[in-house]
Every structure is written in C-alpha cells, then in structure tokens.
Amino acid sequence: MTKKLSSDITPEISYSSRRDFIKALGVAGVSAAVLAACKQKPFLSGEEIPNEPSLTDEPGITPLSSGTTDELGNAITSYDDVISYNNFYEFTTDKEGVVRLAKNFQTNPWEVKIGGLVEKPQTISIDEIRRRYSAEERIYRMRCVEGWSMVIPWQGFPLAALLEDLKPTTEAKYIRFESIYDPKELPGQKNLYYPWPYVEGLRLDEATNDLTILATGLYGKDLLPQNGAPVRLVVPWKYGFKSIKSITKIDLVSEMPVSLWMDSAPNEYGFYANVNPSVDHPRWSQATERRIGEFSRRPTLMFNGYEKEVTALYEGMDLNENF
Ligand code: MTE
C-alpha cells in the first residue's frame, strides 16, 4: 500500500469546539478527477459495466478498471488507497479508521426516497436503481478541499437519467441530497457538532451536466461501505465534500439547499465549492494538491481540469463571492 504522509491524516481530536475541529482539518489534504480514452466523451472508458456484483471479490486482489489513466494521462490511484483512505464523518474523522468502523455497515436492502417538486415521486430500492440505470465507467479526478487528490474509476450513471424519469416541475431549481441518519449504527453521528444528516445540493443545471453521476461502484466492483455504498453522488469539478455518500433521500426544491458544511462553517464552505486554485480556503491555499501515492505537490487545475465542460455554467458569476 502506498505510504501516506502524516500531513494527510486528520488527527484524532477532542471536539472542544467545531472551530478547533475544522482547524485540525487544515493540516490534511484531498480529492479527485477523471480519465478515460473514449472518442466522443473523454471521460467514458467505453465500457458498459454489467450490473454484476464485482469482477473479483477475492481479498487482496485488485479488481479491474478498463482504463489505467484519466483523459489527461494521470494514472489511476491504487485500489488499496481508494478503499482505505476515506472521509466519511458518519463513522469517524480519522481517514484510516473509516474502513474498520464501516466494515459491517448494511447497505442492502436500501431505499432512496425521492420527492419534492417532481411529477413522479418515488421510493426506489438499490436493486431497482441498478436494474433501471445501467452503469458505465467514468474515470474522474477527485480533489478534496483539504488538498489531496485521487483518480478513481467509478461505475455509475448520469444523474440526468434519473431526473428525466422524475419529471421535475418548473418550480424546481435545485436538488437536495441527504445521507443516511442512524446514530445507532454510525458512531460519528454521536458527535453533535455536526448538524446531521449530511446534506448536499446542486443547481439543476449542475445536476444535469453529463459529468455528474450517481455511482454504485468503483474499480469494477460494487461500492464498499467506506466509499459511500450503495449509491453516492460524484461531481468531479467540485471539491470532494459535494460528492455525498450513502444517499437515502433526494428532493427537488426551489431554494438553494443548506449543506452540512455551509451550516457548520458558513465562512469557510459555500454552496458551489468549485475547485478553484485562485480562491483559497480561509485557512489554507488551494493552489496545489498532493495526489495520493505521490510525494510532491502538483498545481491544482481550474474546475479540477473540467473547464471545457463546466465553465459555461458559471458565466457572469463572481467565483470569489460564489465560492
Ligand atoms: N458524504 C458523507 N455522507 N459523509 C462524509 O463525511 N465526506 C466527503 C464526501 N462525501 C463525506 C461524504 C468528503 S470530505 C470527501 S473528500 C469524499 O466524500 C471522500 O470520498 P472517498 O472517501 O470515497 O474518497
């Protein structure tokens, strides 16, 4: 397994205050990106992934991705790192402790309740989601607001496909996601400094951008609990915290949703959270990042390297104000 730098690891801290906790986060680093060698869409590796549980379930064997680099030529991050270095605060804030605490987390049966401003509200089981929406591989960079990044081969489907079936009404302007809330099973939810459940949101045009997917797998395998099983959002041009895990509820709404991070620290986390090397986090620079598995830092790319695909979404907006 790739050696981590101690500076990537959020220390175990006592939660004397949310500020102290958030301050502790400042020493860490994170996030993601895309890859793939497809002709029309550079993010598709060209494979339609069958909805089979996995290519291999044998412990110690790295499962398969059909690609080995992203569309910029960045190598995909090792499977071991992707499944063992995680942010999932419902379990713990210790990135390397999530895997142990999440081991027995039950993710089937699982239902996602979808409603709000839609003509066709519905509650869908994870099995039905897998049946209805066939997964394809997308190799994306993921860039964490903490300053680290990975390149991950996801299996998922465009969120736009689900939205099309729901038929949002004309009043719907945003989409709001909620993660599971179950403090009995999720030890991190006993930490009341966070306004559980984890909530995130997107503008409707962001949600229907082709890059935005709901992921059910990575590296050709079903998602493991630590990566947000059974279904999570992946929005590769935004900081990783927007990519909400283990989703149980989706609502179409007319007002901008308030995310857990906006609620916790409004001066530090905005709604948009677009990767932007020239807008620093109030307590650290966003100019560079460390790719997990590498030791030196690399420049952070505007919109995490997806400028061509998403710049038009923010035309006329001040990205310093709308951070
Ligand atoms: N979703 C939930 N429900 N809870 C979390 O703590 N952490 C976010 C995001 N989604 C988080 C979450 C953060 S900060 C990051 S960087 C990514 O998940 C990490 O995803 P990964 O562990 O699969 O790499």
Side-chain angles (χ1 to χ4, degrees), residues 31-34 70-72 74 140-144 149-150 235-240 274-277 289 291 299-307 310:
S31 249
V34 172
D70 68 11
E71 84 288 2
L72 302 180
N74 296 294
Y140 284 162
R141 294 170 291 283
M142 181 172 76
R143 165 63 155 85
C144 179
S149 61
M150 296 191 192
V235 195
W237 72 93
K238 293 178 180 282
Y239 291 115
N274 291 317
V275 175
N276 188 338
E289 67 199 59
R291 185 68 42 85
T300 289
L301 303 176
M302 185 63 202
F303 294 123
N304 205 20
Y306 303 102
E307 264 188 289
V310 302

PDB file of all heavy atoms in Angstrom, residues 31-34 70-72 74 140-144 149-150 235-240 274-277 289 291 299-307 310:
ATOM      1  N   SER A  31      -8.532  15.099  -2.672  1.00  0.00           N
ATOM      2  CA  SER A  31      -9.540  14.948  -3.753  1.00  0.00           C
ATOM      3  C   SER A  31      -9.293  14.359  -5.134  1.00  0.00           C
ATOM      4  O   SER A  31      -8.276  13.772  -5.341  1.00  0.00           O
ATOM      5  CB  SER A  31     -10.228  16.237  -3.942  1.00  0.00           C
ATOM      6  OG  SER A  31     -11.508  16.026  -3.498  1.00  0.00           O
ATOM      7  N   ALA A  32     -10.161  14.568  -6.091  1.00  0.00           N
ATOM      8  CA  ALA A  32     -10.344  13.672  -7.245  1.00  0.00           C
ATOM      9  C   ALA A  32     -10.273  14.173  -8.686  1.00  0.00           C
ATOM     10  O   ALA A  32     -10.032  15.287  -8.921  1.00  0.00           O
ATOM     11  CB  ALA A  32     -11.699  13.083  -7.085  1.00  0.00           C
ATOM     12  N   ALA A  33     -10.553  13.372  -9.631  1.00  0.00           N
ATOM     13  CA  ALA A  33     -10.509  13.680 -11.058  1.00  0.00           C
ATOM     14  C   ALA A  33     -11.032  12.624 -12.024  1.00  0.00           C
ATOM     15  O   ALA A  33     -11.448  11.611 -11.598  1.00  0.00           O
ATOM     16  CB  ALA A  33      -9.096  13.967 -11.397  1.00  0.00           C
ATOM     17  N   VAL A  34     -10.940  12.837 -13.307  1.00  0.00           N
ATOM     18  CA  VAL A  34     -11.465  11.964 -14.363  1.00  0.00           C
ATOM     19  C   VAL A  34     -10.436  11.388 -15.321  1.00  0.00           C
ATOM     20  O   VAL A  34      -9.428  11.949 -15.526  1.00  0.00           O
ATOM     21  CB  VAL A  34     -12.371  12.778 -15.260  1.00  0.00           C
ATOM     22  CG1 VAL A  34     -12.779  11.997 -16.464  1.00  0.00           C
ATOM     23  CG2 VAL A  34     -13.542  13.205 -14.485  1.00  0.00           C
ATOM     24  N   ASP A  70      -6.455   8.751 -16.570  1.00  0.00           N
ATOM     25  CA  ASP A  70      -7.561   9.631 -16.924  1.00  0.00           C
ATOM     26  C   ASP A  70      -7.286  10.265 -18.289  1.00  0.00           C
ATOM     27  O   ASP A  70      -6.275   9.960 -18.935  1.00  0.00           O
ATOM     28  CB  ASP A  70      -7.831  10.677 -15.825  1.00  0.00           C
ATOM     29  CG  ASP A  70      -6.715  11.693 -15.674  1.00  0.00           C
ATOM     30  OD1 ASP A  70      -5.805  11.752 -16.531  1.00  0.00           O
ATOM     31  OD2 ASP A  70      -6.754  12.464 -14.700  1.00  0.00           O
ATOM     32  N   GLU A  71      -8.181  11.134 -18.733  1.00  0.00           N
ATOM     33  CA  GLU A  71      -8.036  11.696 -20.083  1.00  0.00           C
ATOM     34  C   GLU A  71      -6.854  12.646 -20.179  1.00  0.00           C
ATOM     35  O   GLU A  71      -6.426  13.005 -21.280  1.00  0.00           O
ATOM     36  CB  GLU A  71      -9.352  12.380 -20.517  1.00  0.00           C
ATOM     37  CG  GLU A  71      -9.556  13.815 -20.054  1.00  0.00           C
ATOM     38  CD  GLU A  71      -9.858  13.964 -18.577  1.00  0.00           C
ATOM     39  OE1 GLU A  71      -9.876  12.957 -17.848  1.00  0.00           O
ATOM     40  OE2 GLU A  71     -10.082  15.108 -18.134  1.00  0.00           O
ATOM     41  N   LEU A  72      -6.287  13.016 -19.020  1.00  0.00           N
ATOM     42  CA  LEU A  72      -5.091  13.868 -19.027  1.00  0.00           C
ATOM     43  C   LEU A  72      -3.816  13.044 -18.904  1.00  0.00           C
ATOM     44  O   LEU A  72      -2.719  13.591 -18.838  1.00  0.00           O
ATOM     45  CB  LEU A  72      -5.163  14.879 -17.867  1.00  0.00           C
ATOM     46  CG  LEU A  72      -6.381  15.802 -17.842  1.00  0.00           C
ATOM     47  CD1 LEU A  72      -6.311  16.745 -16.633  1.00  0.00           C
ATOM     48  CD2 LEU A  72      -6.484  16.607 -19.131  1.00  0.00           C
ATOM     49  N   ASN A  74      -3.173  11.004 -16.291  1.00  0.00           N
ATOM     50  CA  ASN A  74      -2.847  10.718 -14.887  1.00  0.00           C
ATOM     51  C   ASN A  74      -3.190   9.271 -14.549  1.00  0.00           C
ATOM     52  O   ASN A  74      -4.306   8.819 -14.856  1.00  0.00           O
ATOM     53  CB  ASN A  74      -3.686  11.597 -13.956  1.00  0.00           C
ATOM     54  CG  ASN A  74      -3.391  13.066 -14.115  1.00  0.00           C
ATOM     55  OD1 ASN A  74      -2.307  13.516 -13.805  1.00  0.00           O
ATOM     56  ND2 ASN A  74      -4.369  13.804 -14.610  1.00  0.00           N
ATOM     57  N   TYR A 140     -12.526   9.671 -13.059  1.00  0.00           N
ATOM     58  CA  TYR A 140     -12.576  11.072 -12.650  1.00  0.00           C
ATOM     59  C   TYR A 140     -11.497  11.389 -11.621  1.00  0.00           C
ATOM     60  O   TYR A 140     -11.248  10.601 -10.707  1.00  0.00           O
ATOM     61  CB  TYR A 140     -13.919  11.384 -11.981  1.00  0.00           C
ATOM     62  CG  TYR A 140     -15.117  11.539 -12.882  1.00  0.00           C
ATOM     63  CD1 TYR A 140     -16.399  11.435 -12.327  1.00  0.00           C
ATOM     64  CD2 TYR A 140     -15.002  11.811 -14.233  1.00  0.00           C
ATOM     65  CE1 TYR A 140     -17.537  11.594 -13.109  1.00  0.00           C
ATOM     66  CE2 TYR A 140     -16.131  11.975 -15.021  1.00  0.00           C
ATOM     67  CZ  TYR A 140     -17.400  11.866 -14.454  1.00  0.00           C
ATOM     68  OH  TYR A 140     -18.525  12.022 -15.216  1.00  0.00           O
ATOM     69  N   ARG A 141     -10.956  12.581 -11.746  1.00  0.00           N
ATOM     70  CA  ARG A 141     -10.123  13.109 -10.665  1.00  0.00           C
ATOM     71  C   ARG A 141     -11.048  13.530  -9.516  1.00  0.00           C
ATOM     72  O   ARG A 141     -12.136  14.046  -9.773  1.00  0.00           O
ATOM     73  CB  ARG A 141      -9.318  14.339 -11.132  1.00  0.00           C
ATOM     74  CG  ARG A 141      -8.272  14.022 -12.206  1.00  0.00           C
ATOM     75  CD  ARG A 141      -7.675  15.283 -12.810  1.00  0.00           C
ATOM     76  NE  ARG A 141      -8.628  16.029 -13.629  1.00  0.00           N
ATOM     77  CZ  ARG A 141      -8.995  15.706 -14.861  1.00  0.00           C
ATOM     78  NH1 ARG A 141      -8.503  14.635 -15.444  1.00  0.00           N
ATOM     79  NH2 ARG A 141      -9.869  16.443 -15.536  1.00  0.00           N
ATOM     80  N   MET A 142     -10.626  13.274  -8.290  1.00  0.00           N
ATOM     81  CA  MET A 142     -11.367  13.789  -7.133  1.00  0.00           C
ATOM     82  C   MET A 142     -10.404  14.632  -6.309  1.00  0.00           C
ATOM     83  O   MET A 142      -9.342  14.147  -5.913  1.00  0.00           O
ATOM     84  CB  MET A 142     -11.926  12.656  -6.267  1.00  0.00           C
ATOM     85  CG  MET A 142     -12.704  13.198  -5.078  1.00  0.00           C
ATOM     86  SD  MET A 142     -13.577  11.935  -4.145  1.00  0.00           S
ATOM     87  CE  MET A 142     -12.235  11.204  -3.243  1.00  0.00           C
ATOM     88  N   ARG A 143     -10.773  15.873  -6.085  1.00  0.00           N
ATOM     89  CA  ARG A 143      -9.897  16.813  -5.370  1.00  0.00           C
ATOM     90  C   ARG A 143     -10.583  17.203  -4.062  1.00  0.00           C
ATOM     91  O   ARG A 143     -11.651  17.812  -4.064  1.00  0.00           O
ATOM     92  CB  ARG A 143      -9.655  18.038  -6.266  1.00  0.00           C
ATOM     93  CG  ARG A 143      -9.075  19.279  -5.588  1.00  0.00           C
ATOM     94  CD  ARG A 143      -7.674  19.043  -5.015  1.00  0.00           C
ATOM     95  NE  ARG A 143      -6.912  20.282  -4.905  1.00  0.00           N
ATOM     96  CZ  ARG A 143      -6.985  21.133  -3.870  1.00  0.00           C
ATOM     97  NH1 ARG A 143      -7.791  20.892  -2.859  1.00  0.00           N
ATOM     98  NH2 ARG A 143      -6.240  22.224  -3.881  1.00  0.00           N
ATOM     99  N   CYS A 144      -9.966  16.809  -2.953  1.00  0.00           N
ATOM    100  CA  CYS A 144     -10.551  17.156  -1.652  1.00  0.00           C
ATOM    101  C   CYS A 144     -10.161  18.582  -1.287  1.00  0.00           C
ATOM    102  O   CYS A 144      -9.058  19.038  -1.591  1.00  0.00           O
ATOM    103  CB  CYS A 144     -10.080  16.194  -0.573  1.00  0.00           C
ATOM    104  SG  CYS A 144     -10.744  16.587   1.055  1.00  0.00           S
ATOM    105  N   SER A 149      -5.661  14.551  -3.614  1.00  0.00           N
ATOM    106  CA  SER A 149      -6.498  14.137  -4.741  1.00  0.00           C
ATOM    107  C   SER A 149      -6.239  12.686  -5.112  1.00  0.00           C
ATOM    108  O   SER A 149      -5.222  12.103  -4.723  1.00  0.00           O
ATOM    109  CB  SER A 149      -6.264  15.048  -5.944  1.00  0.00           C
ATOM    110  OG  SER A 149      -4.927  14.983  -6.370  1.00  0.00           O
ATOM    111  N   MET A 150      -7.200  12.123  -5.822  1.00  0.00           N
ATOM    112  CA  MET A 150      -7.082  10.748  -6.333  1.00  0.00           C
ATOM    113  C   MET A 150      -7.647  10.731  -7.743  1.00  0.00           C
ATOM    114  O   MET A 150      -8.344  11.655  -8.159  1.00  0.00           O
ATOM    115  CB  MET A 150      -7.907   9.770  -5.493  1.00  0.00           C
ATOM    116  CG  MET A 150      -7.472   9.606  -4.055  1.00  0.00           C
ATOM    117  SD  MET A 150      -8.337   8.189  -3.312  1.00  0.00           S
ATOM    118  CE  MET A 150      -7.953   8.449  -1.578  1.00  0.00           C
ATOM    119  N   VAL A 235     -19.338  14.478  -8.351  1.00  0.00           N
ATOM    120  CA  VAL A 235     -19.352  15.735  -9.123  1.00  0.00           C
ATOM    121  C   VAL A 235     -17.898  16.183  -9.253  1.00  0.00           C
ATOM    122  O   VAL A 235     -17.375  16.894  -8.397  1.00  0.00           O
ATOM    123  CB  VAL A 235     -20.161  16.825  -8.387  1.00  0.00           C
ATOM    124  CG1 VAL A 235     -20.485  17.978  -9.337  1.00  0.00           C
ATOM    125  CG2 VAL A 235     -21.426  16.274  -7.783  1.00  0.00           C
ATOM    126  N   PRO A 236     -17.211  15.785 -10.317  1.00  0.00           N
ATOM    127  CA  PRO A 236     -15.749  15.848 -10.308  1.00  0.00           C
ATOM    128  C   PRO A 236     -15.135  17.240 -10.379  1.00  0.00           C
ATOM    129  O   PRO A 236     -13.961  17.387 -10.072  1.00  0.00           O
ATOM    130  CB  PRO A 236     -15.370  15.023 -11.544  1.00  0.00           C
ATOM    131  CG  PRO A 236     -16.538  15.120 -12.456  1.00  0.00           C
ATOM    132  CD  PRO A 236     -17.738  15.163 -11.546  1.00  0.00           C
ATOM    133  N   TRP A 237     -15.899  18.264 -10.760  1.00  0.00           N
ATOM    134  CA  TRP A 237     -15.275  19.594 -10.840  1.00  0.00           C
ATOM    135  C   TRP A 237     -15.418  20.365  -9.530  1.00  0.00           C
ATOM    136  O   TRP A 237     -14.982  21.487  -9.407  1.00  0.00           O
ATOM    137  CB  TRP A 237     -15.849  20.394 -12.011  1.00  0.00           C
ATOM    138  CG  TRP A 237     -17.268  20.899 -11.855  1.00  0.00           C
ATOM    139  CD1 TRP A 237     -17.654  22.127 -11.375  1.00  0.00           C
ATOM    140  CD2 TRP A 237     -18.483  20.216 -12.195  1.00  0.00           C
ATOM    141  NE1 TRP A 237     -19.024  22.236 -11.398  1.00  0.00           N
ATOM    142  CE2 TRP A 237     -19.557  21.078 -11.905  1.00  0.00           C
ATOM    143  CE3 TRP A 237     -18.760  18.945 -12.725  1.00  0.00           C
ATOM    144  CZ2 TRP A 237     -20.887  20.713 -12.121  1.00  0.00           C
ATOM    145  CZ3 TRP A 237     -20.085  18.598 -12.933  1.00  0.00           C
ATOM    146  CH2 TRP A 237     -21.127  19.464 -12.639  1.00  0.00           C
ATOM    147  N   LYS A 238     -16.043  19.747  -8.552  1.00  0.00           N
ATOM    148  CA  LYS A 238     -16.230  20.382  -7.239  1.00  0.00           C
ATOM    149  C   LYS A 238     -15.396  19.646  -6.197  1.00  0.00           C
ATOM    150  O   LYS A 238     -15.031  18.481  -6.393  1.00  0.00           O
ATOM    151  CB  LYS A 238     -17.713  20.313  -6.844  1.00  0.00           C
ATOM    152  CG  LYS A 238     -18.594  21.167  -7.751  1.00  0.00           C
ATOM    153  CD  LYS A 238     -20.059  21.056  -7.370  1.00  0.00           C
ATOM    154  CE  LYS A 238     -20.917  21.914  -8.275  1.00  0.00           C
ATOM    155  NZ  LYS A 238     -20.876  23.338  -7.916  1.00  0.00           N
ATOM    156  N   TYR A 239     -15.125  20.335  -5.088  1.00  0.00           N
ATOM    157  CA  TYR A 239     -14.395  19.672  -4.012  1.00  0.00           C
ATOM    158  C   TYR A 239     -15.163  18.416  -3.575  1.00  0.00           C
ATOM    159  O   TYR A 239     -16.400  18.363  -3.638  1.00  0.00           O
ATOM    160  CB  TYR A 239     -14.178  20.631  -2.841  1.00  0.00           C
ATOM    161  CG  TYR A 239     -13.202  21.739  -3.191  1.00  0.00           C
ATOM    162  CD1 TYR A 239     -13.592  23.075  -3.246  1.00  0.00           C
ATOM    163  CD2 TYR A 239     -11.872  21.433  -3.500  1.00  0.00           C
ATOM    164  CE1 TYR A 239     -12.698  24.082  -3.601  1.00  0.00           C
ATOM    165  CE2 TYR A 239     -10.972  22.427  -3.858  1.00  0.00           C
ATOM    166  CZ  TYR A 239     -11.387  23.746  -3.906  1.00  0.00           C
ATOM    167  OH  TYR A 239     -10.489  24.725  -4.266  1.00  0.00           O
ATOM    168  N   GLY A 240     -14.373  17.436  -3.119  1.00  0.00           N
ATOM    169  CA  GLY A 240     -14.937  16.109  -2.832  1.00  0.00           C
ATOM    170  C   GLY A 240     -16.100  16.104  -1.867  1.00  0.00           C
ATOM    171  O   GLY A 240     -16.936  15.202  -1.901  1.00  0.00           O
ATOM    172  N   ASN A 274     -16.675  24.902  -6.142  1.00  0.00           N
ATOM    173  CA  ASN A 274     -15.963  24.525  -7.365  1.00  0.00           C
ATOM    174  C   ASN A 274     -14.458  24.540  -7.105  1.00  0.00           C
ATOM    175  O   ASN A 274     -13.950  25.458  -6.460  1.00  0.00           O
ATOM    176  CB  ASN A 274     -16.277  25.528  -8.482  1.00  0.00           C
ATOM    177  CG  ASN A 274     -17.710  25.423  -8.950  1.00  0.00           C
ATOM    178  OD1 ASN A 274     -18.231  24.320  -9.118  1.00  0.00           O
ATOM    179  ND2 ASN A 274     -18.357  26.564  -9.144  1.00  0.00           N
ATOM    180  N   VAL A 275     -13.761  23.544  -7.594  1.00  0.00           N
ATOM    181  CA  VAL A 275     -12.307  23.519  -7.428  1.00  0.00           C
ATOM    182  C   VAL A 275     -11.741  24.752  -8.139  1.00  0.00           C
ATOM    183  O   VAL A 275     -12.015  24.989  -9.326  1.00  0.00           O
ATOM    184  CB  VAL A 275     -11.698  22.229  -8.017  1.00  0.00           C
ATOM    185  CG1 VAL A 275     -10.178  22.269  -7.950  1.00  0.00           C
ATOM    186  CG2 VAL A 275     -12.242  20.996  -7.288  1.00  0.00           C
ATOM    187  N   ASN A 276     -11.002  25.561  -7.388  1.00  0.00           N
ATOM    188  CA  ASN A 276     -10.510  26.812  -7.944  1.00  0.00           C
ATOM    189  C   ASN A 276      -9.187  27.183  -7.274  1.00  0.00           C
ATOM    190  O   ASN A 276      -9.165  27.600  -6.105  1.00  0.00           O
ATOM    191  CB  ASN A 276     -11.554  27.917  -7.707  1.00  0.00           C
ATOM    192  CG  ASN A 276     -11.211  29.200  -8.429  1.00  0.00           C
ATOM    193  OD1 ASN A 276     -10.047  29.433  -8.766  1.00  0.00           O
ATOM    194  ND2 ASN A 276     -12.204  30.033  -8.658  1.00  0.00           N
ATOM    195  N   PRO A 277      -8.070  27.021  -8.011  1.00  0.00           N
ATOM    196  CA  PRO A 277      -6.763  27.252  -7.393  1.00  0.00           C
ATOM    197  C   PRO A 277      -6.530  28.692  -6.968  1.00  0.00           C
ATOM    198  O   PRO A 277      -5.651  28.967  -6.157  1.00  0.00           O
ATOM    199  CB  PRO A 277      -5.774  26.860  -8.501  1.00  0.00           C
ATOM    200  CG  PRO A 277      -6.549  26.898  -9.775  1.00  0.00           C
ATOM    201  CD  PRO A 277      -7.977  26.613  -9.423  1.00  0.00           C
ATOM    202  N   GLU A 289      -1.937  20.602  -4.850  1.00  0.00           N
ATOM    203  CA  GLU A 289      -2.533  19.430  -4.193  1.00  0.00           C
ATOM    204  C   GLU A 289      -1.531  18.288  -4.215  1.00  0.00           C
ATOM    205  O   GLU A 289      -0.578  18.292  -5.011  1.00  0.00           O
ATOM    206  CB  GLU A 289      -3.807  18.999  -4.933  1.00  0.00           C
ATOM    207  CG  GLU A 289      -3.545  18.457  -6.332  1.00  0.00           C
ATOM    208  CD  GLU A 289      -4.782  18.470  -7.223  1.00  0.00           C
ATOM    209  OE1 GLU A 289      -5.352  19.564  -7.442  1.00  0.00           O
ATOM    210  OE2 GLU A 289      -5.148  17.376  -7.706  1.00  0.00           O
ATOM    211  N   ARG A 291      -1.354  14.339  -4.944  1.00  0.00           N
ATOM    212  CA  ARG A 291      -2.027  13.136  -5.438  1.00  0.00           C
ATOM    213  C   ARG A 291      -1.664  11.988  -4.513  1.00  0.00           C
ATOM    214  O   ARG A 291      -0.475  11.753  -4.263  1.00  0.00           O
ATOM    215  CB  ARG A 291      -1.569  12.894  -6.885  1.00  0.00           C
ATOM    216  CG  ARG A 291      -2.191  11.786  -7.650  1.00  0.00           C
ATOM    217  CD  ARG A 291      -3.652  11.970  -8.009  1.00  0.00           C
ATOM    218  NE  ARG A 291      -4.138  13.248  -8.484  1.00  0.00           N
ATOM    219  CZ  ARG A 291      -4.119  13.698  -9.731  1.00  0.00           C
ATOM    220  NH1 ARG A 291      -3.604  12.944 -10.682  1.00  0.00           N
ATOM    221  NH2 ARG A 291      -4.624  14.868 -10.051  1.00  0.00           N
ATOM    222  N   PRO A 299       0.196  21.439  -9.352  1.00  0.00           N
ATOM    223  CA  PRO A 299      -0.742  22.561  -9.397  1.00  0.00           C
ATOM    224  C   PRO A 299      -2.176  22.051  -9.482  1.00  0.00           C
ATOM    225  O   PRO A 299      -2.450  21.050 -10.148  1.00  0.00           O
ATOM    226  CB  PRO A 299      -0.378  23.296 -10.696  1.00  0.00           C
ATOM    227  CG  PRO A 299       0.912  22.719 -11.147  1.00  0.00           C
ATOM    228  CD  PRO A 299       1.080  21.377 -10.518  1.00  0.00           C
ATOM    229  N   THR A 300      -3.050  22.726  -8.795  1.00  0.00           N
ATOM    230  CA  THR A 300      -4.482  22.404  -8.890  1.00  0.00           C
ATOM    231  C   THR A 300      -5.039  23.041 -10.162  1.00  0.00           C
ATOM    232  O   THR A 300      -4.668  24.163 -10.518  1.00  0.00           O
ATOM    233  CB  THR A 300      -5.205  22.920  -7.632  1.00  0.00           C
ATOM    234  OG1 THR A 300      -4.806  22.081  -6.545  1.00  0.00           O
ATOM    235  CG2 THR A 300      -6.718  22.879  -7.762  1.00  0.00           C
ATOM    236  N   LEU A 301      -5.904  22.329 -10.846  1.00  0.00           N
ATOM    237  CA  LEU A 301      -6.466  22.838 -12.098  1.00  0.00           C
ATOM    238  C   LEU A 301      -7.825  23.484 -11.851  1.00  0.00           C
ATOM    239  O   LEU A 301      -8.608  23.009 -11.017  1.00  0.00           O
ATOM    240  CB  LEU A 301      -6.646  21.682 -13.093  1.00  0.00           C
ATOM    241  CG  LEU A 301      -5.382  20.882 -13.417  1.00  0.00           C
ATOM    242  CD1 LEU A 301      -5.719  19.708 -14.349  1.00  0.00           C
ATOM    243  CD2 LEU A 301      -4.336  21.782 -14.064  1.00  0.00           C
ATOM    244  N   MET A 302      -8.082  24.558 -12.604  1.00  0.00           N
ATOM    245  CA  MET A 302      -9.397  25.207 -12.514  1.00  0.00           C
ATOM    246  C   MET A 302     -10.493  24.180 -12.813  1.00  0.00           C
ATOM    247  O   MET A 302     -10.360  23.394 -13.752  1.00  0.00           O
ATOM    248  CB  MET A 302      -9.448  26.368 -13.524  1.00  0.00           C
ATOM    249  CG  MET A 302     -10.714  27.183 -13.439  1.00  0.00           C
ATOM    250  SD  MET A 302     -10.844  27.972 -11.807  1.00  0.00           S
ATOM    251  CE  MET A 302     -12.604  28.259 -11.714  1.00  0.00           C
ATOM    252  N   PHE A 303     -11.533  24.202 -12.012  1.00  0.00           N
ATOM    253  CA  PHE A 303     -12.623  23.221 -12.128  1.00  0.00           C
ATOM    254  C   PHE A 303     -12.068  21.791 -12.185  1.00  0.00           C
ATOM    255  O   PHE A 303     -12.625  20.910 -12.828  1.00  0.00           O
ATOM    256  CB  PHE A 303     -13.515  23.490 -13.352  1.00  0.00           C
ATOM    257  CG  PHE A 303     -14.296  24.783 -13.286  1.00  0.00           C
ATOM    258  CD1 PHE A 303     -14.167  25.752 -14.274  1.00  0.00           C
ATOM    259  CD2 PHE A 303     -15.169  25.037 -12.233  1.00  0.00           C
ATOM    260  CE1 PHE A 303     -14.881  26.946 -14.218  1.00  0.00           C
ATOM    261  CE2 PHE A 303     -15.894  26.226 -12.163  1.00  0.00           C
ATOM    262  CZ  PHE A 303     -15.753  27.176 -13.164  1.00  0.00           C
ATOM    263  N   ASN A 304     -10.932  21.607 -11.505  1.00  0.00           N
ATOM    264  CA  ASN A 304     -10.320  20.281 -11.417  1.00  0.00           C
ATOM    265  C   ASN A 304     -10.000  19.692 -12.793  1.00  0.00           C
ATOM    266  O   ASN A 304      -9.960  18.471 -12.960  1.00  0.00           O
ATOM    267  CB  ASN A 304     -11.243  19.333 -10.629  1.00  0.00           C
ATOM    268  CG  ASN A 304     -10.478  18.199  -9.972  1.00  0.00           C
ATOM    269  OD1 ASN A 304      -9.264  18.279  -9.775  1.00  0.00           O
ATOM    270  ND2 ASN A 304     -11.186  17.142  -9.643  1.00  0.00           N
ATOM    271  N   GLY A 305      -9.813  20.579 -13.767  1.00  0.00           N
ATOM    272  CA  GLY A 305      -9.460  20.104 -15.113  1.00  0.00           C
ATOM    273  C   GLY A 305     -10.660  19.899 -16.025  1.00  0.00           C
ATOM    274  O   GLY A 305     -10.510  19.437 -17.151  1.00  0.00           O
ATOM    275  N   TYR A 306     -11.852  20.270 -15.567  1.00  0.00           N
ATOM    276  CA  TYR A 306     -13.068  20.087 -16.380  1.00  0.00           C
ATOM    277  C   TYR A 306     -13.624  21.419 -16.888  1.00  0.00           C
ATOM    278  O   TYR A 306     -14.833  21.570 -17.044  1.00  0.00           O
ATOM    279  CB  TYR A 306     -14.127  19.322 -15.575  1.00  0.00           C
ATOM    280  CG  TYR A 306     -13.610  17.988 -15.096  1.00  0.00           C
ATOM    281  CD1 TYR A 306     -13.206  17.812 -13.781  1.00  0.00           C
ATOM    282  CD2 TYR A 306     -13.455  16.936 -15.984  1.00  0.00           C
ATOM    283  CE1 TYR A 306     -12.685  16.609 -13.348  1.00  0.00           C
ATOM    284  CE2 TYR A 306     -12.937  15.723 -15.560  1.00  0.00           C
ATOM    285  CZ  TYR A 306     -12.558  15.572 -14.238  1.00  0.00           C
ATOM    286  OH  TYR A 306     -12.029  14.384 -13.828  1.00  0.00           O
ATOM    287  N   GLU A 307     -12.704  22.346 -17.123  1.00  0.00           N
ATOM    288  CA  GLU A 307     -13.106  23.694 -17.553  1.00  0.00           C
ATOM    289  C   GLU A 307     -13.994  23.675 -18.777  1.00  0.00           C
ATOM    290  O   GLU A 307     -15.006  24.380 -18.852  1.00  0.00           O
ATOM    291  CB  GLU A 307     -11.856  24.509 -17.871  1.00  0.00           C
ATOM    292  CG  GLU A 307     -11.401  25.373 -16.722  1.00  0.00           C
ATOM    293  CD  GLU A 307     -10.283  26.290 -17.162  1.00  0.00           C
ATOM    294  OE1 GLU A 307      -9.163  25.793 -17.392  1.00  0.00           O
ATOM    295  OE2 GLU A 307     -10.532  27.501 -17.261  1.00  0.00           O
ATOM    296  N   VAL A 310     -17.611  22.696 -17.937  1.00  0.00           N
ATOM    297  CA  VAL A 310     -18.481  23.361 -16.954  1.00  0.00           C
ATOM    298  C   VAL A 310     -18.356  24.881 -16.864  1.00  0.00           C
ATOM    299  O   VAL A 310     -19.185  25.519 -16.197  1.00  0.00           O
ATOM    300  CB  VAL A 310     -18.291  22.759 -15.532  1.00  0.00           C
ATOM    301  CG1 VAL A 310     -18.577  21.265 -15.553  1.00  0.00           C
ATOM    302  CG2 VAL A 310     -16.908  23.032 -14.963  1.00  0.00           C
TER     303      VAL A 310
END
